[in-house]
């Protein structure tokens, strides 16, 4: 009996004390020790509950780390950009996704939530600072974007374009809208173009990105005075997407749906579920608002965000190529809307 | 005496079984109206809007499923339909409501604390399973009472031991 | 009425040996203690996502289903034999886990107030938990705190009072287990009560070298209901006359022991039936606003919810029932006082059936969480048994409604035939008694149909 009692006491204590110590110890001491490189746990909460914890991770270039993302409350998703091509997909609450990666160049990277998880979803970001081992104290600077610099040199304020006019501090000017009554469609573009005289300059992608479809329409109209305006507009739609014929790439559509659709709407009508919650009504990608819009301005808005509008900046997430692909998709949405 | 009572109860149980079988196998007219019904269904923590909707048996149902705060899911009992829905992206779910009854649809993607209880109801009318069940319950009770009535003579009740009123 | 009983120990001698072993209870408790401790640790430190947290899944799905669908209806209070909640307190009080410590128990030996020697505290405790169930059931950390509080309260009480005062008078779970244990076809009884009467030392109460006196403060000698015997099996060990045994008997036999009918137990029956109804509406219904009220998203709404719940459970249901019972009394022409309390016991089978139907409704659906959680109890990305990524798959939804209808019908028929018997008692004209029972039976039918409507309608 004495011995049994001793065993019983030992067993009970090993449950009451041993079980917590063993489980917590395994997770927080043994598992990290077993791993050959640094393991960083990042817990994802919805932004109003704290977002990513931690929000800043500092690494030295060449270091291999395992980043382990946990979702705590609702479904989140994780991708790391720009330009790394890391997309861990969605993480359901209570689940874990991890990636082991070697950051070999110094620079700034962003891990960001890719699944709409709250109205502040887009705030949900964290920074990975990869420093040069030779000078660990100097932080890498974000790179400058030539497109945005060029717009600035041209004197265009992307928040007010195309009015010009003062912005910051003042009320945000109304978004430009024209009522042309036109609903150009890209599918009719090719037929519309046959037989038209098209100025050479319109074939230049560079020119098209720095001008509006309306400007192109005027140029076309000058050359083809007797052509119907609706047909010319269709021709412009065709031209505007002539460098990416066919259906938009699945990756771009997914990226739009994950990052933009909650405000701008799945079809670009500006009617996503979060549309009512932003500081300013989200833009609709429809002819009336898009015909007087330039691609490079769209690019800059995506990269840099919209001042005071709740439009987040995606420059820390997307490469220029990814951003241009999104811009093209916005045009596609604009020019495929058949009322 | 005891054996006799057991036999009595067994007979009652037998009748109940017959009743259950009868109601289960009751032939029901087949429906095949073949309308196509479109429905917008929104998922939000922790409810569906509309929370309950009715269709007629045989209808083709097209649900445009949206989520308005976080990622949700849609799982329709018995129909084996499951879909994940992300805010901003509408999912189209299409099925033929060929079975009658009430079917719960549940959020199938963990969406917060009350997630396991995020439930909506699809009623495929006529809701025969419910009417059958209710009918069965009522008839079963009637059967029991009739059975008791038959076997309770007007004489002294044979089974009860004295029950005092409550103190 | 004497009912048929089958003495399980007559044949199965090994069972007697097992029950007399001092190892039985501690061994079972050790197993549940592992699960319980893990549930608390995972609740406190694991993922806040309930469906991926061992604590939530194992307590509110696995344990709950086991308790209400299997253990209580079939084995009565057997859970209380293995429950880990009172274990630490009891062991400290006895200064022993397995052995029989002959010394005095370490406790202040206060006297439990007479006015609390009933189920009212348990009724209040259960309602308290019920009001917060929207939070407790869904937030692992809250759940863990509640789970931790239980053994701590039990421990505190064991310092003040001897024996299982917590279990007998306080534990909110213990109350309804006791009520519904009356339905079980298993009972612990003496073989021959005259042996007890003639036995002078009453070892089962006083204790002896083989075991402790009944920790549940029950005198096995006149045990006639399962309600308050915690099946700790001490009396098996202490009884020198081999007079204790386990019987098989018809379901619900205890309910007819009318001399024990009491208002506190009757209210337990109302509370349980009412809560089953409300839970079915709140948790399994389609009404989002009810869920948000119940989960304490805003205090005023929750207060409304709490007031509504209490009003329905404590006033509306007992009130309506009282009305029906009064009608029945009128029809029967009883003069010996109202049978309201007695009739309330007919709600025991009905309530148990309702709880089983309700529990099946979410256990079938969410049972698959247990598989993933057992491999990854904390939601930390472990995969102990390779099942961590099992998807959520509802089990046989098409079977569910058949089971629910079957169970509810069974409960109703049992309740109705109890009513006929209660009404007929002391009456000469048995057919008139049946008529007299009809108002109460109508109440039972309406309740059953309400459940049916919630589940199928
Ligand atoms: S009464 Fe409560 S604490 Fe005591 S054994 Fe039963 S369930 Fe456990
Ligand atoms: S009657 Fe026997 S089994 Fe029941 S609680 Fe008392 S000692 Fe334990
Ligand atoms: Cu959800």
């Amino acid at each position: 009996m004495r011995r049994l009692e001793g065993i019983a006491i030992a067993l009970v204590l090993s449950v009451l004390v041993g079980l917590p110590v063993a489980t917590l110890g395994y997770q927080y001491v043994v598992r990290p020790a077993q791993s050959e490189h640094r393991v960083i746990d990042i817990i994802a909460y919805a932004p109003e509950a704290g977002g990513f914890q931690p929000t800043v991770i500092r690494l030295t270039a060449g270091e291999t780390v395992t980043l382990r993302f946990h979702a705590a409350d609702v479904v989140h998703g994780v991708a790391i950009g720009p330009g790394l091509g890391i997309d861990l997909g969605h993480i359901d609450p209570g689940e874990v996704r991890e990636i082991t990666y070697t950051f070999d160049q110094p620079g700034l990277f962003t891990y960001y939530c890719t699944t709409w998880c709250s109205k502040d979803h887009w705030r949900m970001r964290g920074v990975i600072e990869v420093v040069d081992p030779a000078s660990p104290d100097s932080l890498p600077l974000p790179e400058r974007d030539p497109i945005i610099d060029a717009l600035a040199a041209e004197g265009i304020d992307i928040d007010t374009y195309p009015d010009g006019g003062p912005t910051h501090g003042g009320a945000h000017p109304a978004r430009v809208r024209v009522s042309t009554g036109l609903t150009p469609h890209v599918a009719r573009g090719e037929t519309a173009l046959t037989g038209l005289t098209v100025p050479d300059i319109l074939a230049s992608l560079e020119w098209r990105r720095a001008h509006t479809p309306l400007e192109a329409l005027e140029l076309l109209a000058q050359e083809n005075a007797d052509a119907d305006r609706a047909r010319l507009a269709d021709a412009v739609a065709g031209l505007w997407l002539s460098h990416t014929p066919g259906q938009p790439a699945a990756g771009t559509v997914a990226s739009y749906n994950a990052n933009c659709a909650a405000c701008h709407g799945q079809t670009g009508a500006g009617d996503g579920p979060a549309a009512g919650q932003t500081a300013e009504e989200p833009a609709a990608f429809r002819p009336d608002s898009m015909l007087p819009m330039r691609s490079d301005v769209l690019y800059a808005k995506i990269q840099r965000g919209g001042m005071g509008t709740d439009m987040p900046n995606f420059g820390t997430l997307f490469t220029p190529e990814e951003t241009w692909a999104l811009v093209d998709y916005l045009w596609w949405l604009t020019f495929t809307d058949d009322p | 005496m005891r054996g006799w009572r057991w036999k009595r109860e067994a007979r009652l149980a037998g009748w109940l079984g017959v009743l259950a079988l009868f109601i289960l196998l009751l032939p029901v007219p087949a429906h095949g109206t073949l309308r196509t019904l479109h429905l917008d269904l929104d998922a939000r923590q922790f409810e569906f809007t509309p929370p309950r909707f009715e269709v007629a048996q045989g209808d083709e149902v097209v649900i445009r499923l949206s989520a308005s705060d976080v990622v949700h899911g849609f799982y329709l009992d018995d129909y084996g339909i499951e879909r994940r829905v992300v805010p901003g992206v509408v999912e189209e779910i299409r099925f033929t409501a060929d079975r009658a009854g009430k079917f719960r649809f549940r959020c199938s993607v963990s969406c917060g604390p009350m997630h396991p209880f995020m439930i909506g109801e699809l009623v495929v009318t006529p809701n025969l399973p419910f009417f059958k069940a209710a009918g069965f319950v009522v008839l079963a009770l009637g059967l029991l009472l009739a059975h008791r009535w038959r076997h309770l003579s007007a004489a002294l009740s044979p089974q009860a031991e004295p029950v005092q009123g409550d103190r | 009425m004497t009912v048929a009983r089958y003495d399980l120990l007559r044949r199965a001698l090994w069972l007697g040996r097992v029950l007399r072993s001092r190892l039985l209870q501690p061994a079972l408790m050790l197993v549940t203690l592992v699960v319980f401790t893990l549930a608390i640790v995972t609740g406190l430190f694991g993922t806040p996502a309930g469906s991926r947290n061992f604590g939530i899944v194992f307590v509110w799905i696995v344990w709950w289903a086991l308790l209400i669908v299997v253990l209580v209806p079939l084995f009565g209070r057997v859970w209380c034999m293995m429950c880990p909640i009172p274990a630490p307190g009891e062991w400290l009080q006895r200064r022993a886990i397995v052995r029989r410590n002959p010394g005095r128990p370490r406790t202040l030996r206060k006297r439990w107030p007479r006015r609390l020697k009933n189920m009212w505290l348990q009724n209040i405790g259960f309602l308290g938990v019920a009001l917060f169930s929207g939070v407790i059931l869904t937030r692992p950390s809250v759940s863990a705190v509640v789970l931790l509080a239980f053994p701590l309260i039990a421990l505190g009480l064991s310092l003040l009072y001897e024996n299982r005062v917590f279990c007998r008078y306080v534990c909110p779970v213990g109350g309804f287990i006791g009520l519904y244990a009356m339905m079980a076809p298993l009972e612990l009884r003496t073989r021959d009560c005259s042996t007890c009467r003639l036995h002078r030392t009453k070892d089962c109460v006083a204790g002896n070298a083989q075991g402790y006196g009944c920790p549940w403060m029950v005198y096995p000698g006149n045990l006639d209901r399962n309600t308050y015997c915690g099946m700790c099996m001490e009396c098996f060990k202490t009884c020198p006359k081999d007079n204790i045994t386990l019987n098989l008997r018809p379901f619900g036999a205890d309910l007819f022991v009318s001399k024990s009918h009491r208002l506190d137990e009757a209210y337990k029956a109302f509370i349980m039936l009412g809560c089953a109804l409300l839970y079915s509406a709140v948790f399994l219904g389609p009404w989002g606003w009810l869920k948000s009220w119940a989960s304490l998203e805003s205090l005023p709404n929750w207060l409304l919810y709490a007031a509504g719940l209490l009003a329905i459970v404590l006033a509306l249901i007992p009130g309506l029932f009282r009305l029906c019972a009064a009608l029945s009394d009128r029809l029967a022409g009883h003069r010996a006082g109202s049978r309201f309390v007695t009739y309330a016991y007919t709600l025991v089978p009905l309530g148990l059936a309702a709880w089983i139907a309700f529990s099946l409704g979410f256990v079938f659906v969410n049972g698959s969480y247990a598989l993933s959680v057992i491999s990854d109890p904390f939601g930390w990305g472990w995969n102990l048994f390779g099942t961590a990524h099992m998807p959520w798959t509802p089990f046989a939804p098409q079977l569910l409604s058949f089971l629910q209808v079957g169970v509810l019908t069974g409960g109703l028929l049992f309740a109705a035939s109890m009513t006929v018997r209660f009404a007929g008692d002391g009456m000469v004209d048995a057919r008139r008694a049946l008529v007299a029972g009809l108002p109460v039976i109508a109440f039972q039918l309406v309740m059953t149909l309400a459940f049916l409507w919630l589940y199928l309608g």
Side-chain angles (χ1 to χ4, degrees), chain B residues 43-48 69-73 106-112 114-116 118:
Chain B
R44 191 156 46 107
Q45 284 172 331
F46 298 95
E47 63 185 335
F48 290 97
D69 45 14
V70 301
V71 180
H72 292 282
R106 311 164 186 278
C107 181
S108 58
V109 176
S110 183
C111 61
M114 289 295 268
H115 156 71
M118 179 168 162

Side-chain angles (χ1 to χ4, degrees), chain A residues 143-298:
Chain A
E143 277 168 42
R144 299 197 65 87
D145 188 301
I147 307 280
I148 298 178
D149 285 349
L151 281 172
E154 211 182 310
I156 291 171
D157 183 335
I158 60 172
D159 293 321
T160 61
Y161 178 83
D163 280 317
T167 46
H168 309 310
H172 197 80
R175 196 164 284 116
V176 178
R177 229 164 251 197
V178 292
S179 311
T180 55
L182 297 170
T183 53
H185 200 292
V186 63
R188 295 190 295 263
E190 204 160 326
T191 352
L193 273 168
T194 38
L196 289 184
T197 325
V198 181
D200 284 347
I201 190 118
L202 291 186
S204 151
L205 176 60
E206 214 172 306
W207 185 91
R208 289 199 307 266
R209 280 184 172 163
H211 293 83
T212 69
L214 267 188
E215 289 168 309
L217 187 68
E218 291 318 317
L219 281 184
L220 263 186
Q222 280 168 22
E223 300 287 328
N224 307 278
D226 46 348
D228 176 30
R229 260 183 99 75
R231 174 181 168 198
L232 292 179
D234 284 340
V236 170
L239 276 172
W240 232 243
L241 287 162
S242 57
H243 58 286
T244 78
Q247 291 291 312
T252 307
V253 178
S255 174
Y256 175 88
N257 283 343
N259 294 290
C260 320
C263 293
H264 295 285
Q266 194 178 359
T267 63
D271 59 352
Q277 299 165 346
T278 47
E280 208 156 293
E281 203 180 297
F285 307 120
R286 289 291 176 265
D288 282 0
S289 52
M290 288 290 273
L291 287 177
M293 178 54 77
R294 280 167 60 162
S295 289
D296 52 2
V297 173
L298 288 171

Side-chain angles (χ1 to χ4, degrees), chain B residues 2 24 47 51-52 75 78 102 104 106 108 113 115 117 119 121 127 148-149 152 155 161-163 166-167, chain C residues 1-2 138 259 283-284 286 288 291 338 341-342 365 369 392 394 397-398 417 425 428 431 454-457:
Chain B
R2 165 156 297 141
L24 256 181
E47 63 185 335
R52 176 184 167 106
Y75 173 93
D78 280 16
K102 174 158 98 176
R104 290 188 166 79
R106 311 164 186 278
S108 58
H115 156 71
F117 308 117
I119 290 171
E121 295 174 347
N127 187 353
R148 291 289 190 268
W149 180 265
L152 289 174
E161 71 181 21
V163 178
D166 307 311
R167 291 136 302 153
Chain C
M1 181 186 63
T2 49
T138 56
K259 66 177 191 302
F283 293 115
L284 301 185
K291 293 174 216 286
S338 157
V341 172
T342 293
V365 172
Y369 283 135
W392 171 79
Q398 57 276 35
S417 61
D425 173 69
V428 180
R431 285 190 167 168
L454 282 174
Y455 297 144
L456 302 182

Side-chain angles (χ1 to χ4, degrees), chain C residues 13-45:
Chain C
L13 292 177
W14 59 271
L15 186 57
R17 259 202 309 280
V18 170
L19 294 177
R20 265 186 292 277
S21 162
R22 290 220 60 82
L23 275 174
L24 173 66
Q25 195 179 26
L28 290 172
M29 282 174 162
L30 194 72
V31 175
T32 56
L33 194 65
V34 172
V35 178
F36 193 75
T37 313
L38 192 59
I40 293 176
V41 181
T42 51
L44 291 178
F45 299 99

Side-chain angles (χ1 to χ4, degrees), chain A residues 15-16 19-20 23-24, chain C residues 30-47 50 52-63 79 84-85 136 139-149 151 373 377-379:
Chain A
V15 171
L16 290 182
L19 194 67
T23 47
L24 299 178
Chain C
L30 194 72
V31 175
T32 56
L33 194 65
V34 172
V35 178
F36 193 75
T37 313
L38 192 59
I40 293 176
V41 181
T42 51
L44 291 178
F45 299 99
T47 174
R52 293 291 176 164
N53 190 300
F54 179 89
I56 291 285
V57 172
F58 261 73
V59 173
W60 301 120
I61 299 178
V62 176
W63 169 77
W79 164 254
I85 292 170
I136 298 173
R139 272 105 173 147
S141 53
V142 180
S143 182
V145 170
V146 173
L147 290 187
L148 196 57
V373 133
F378 291 84

Side-chain angles (χ1 to χ4, degrees), chain C residues 188 204 212-220 223 228-236 238 244:
Chain C
L188 181 146
C204 57
Y212 298 89
C214 175
W216 285 71
M217 298 160 286
V218 166
Y219 167 43
L223 200 57
Y228 302 110
C229 157
M231 296 188 107
C232 70
M233 306 299 165
E234 284 299 327
C235 52
F236 267 96
T238 51
I244 308 276

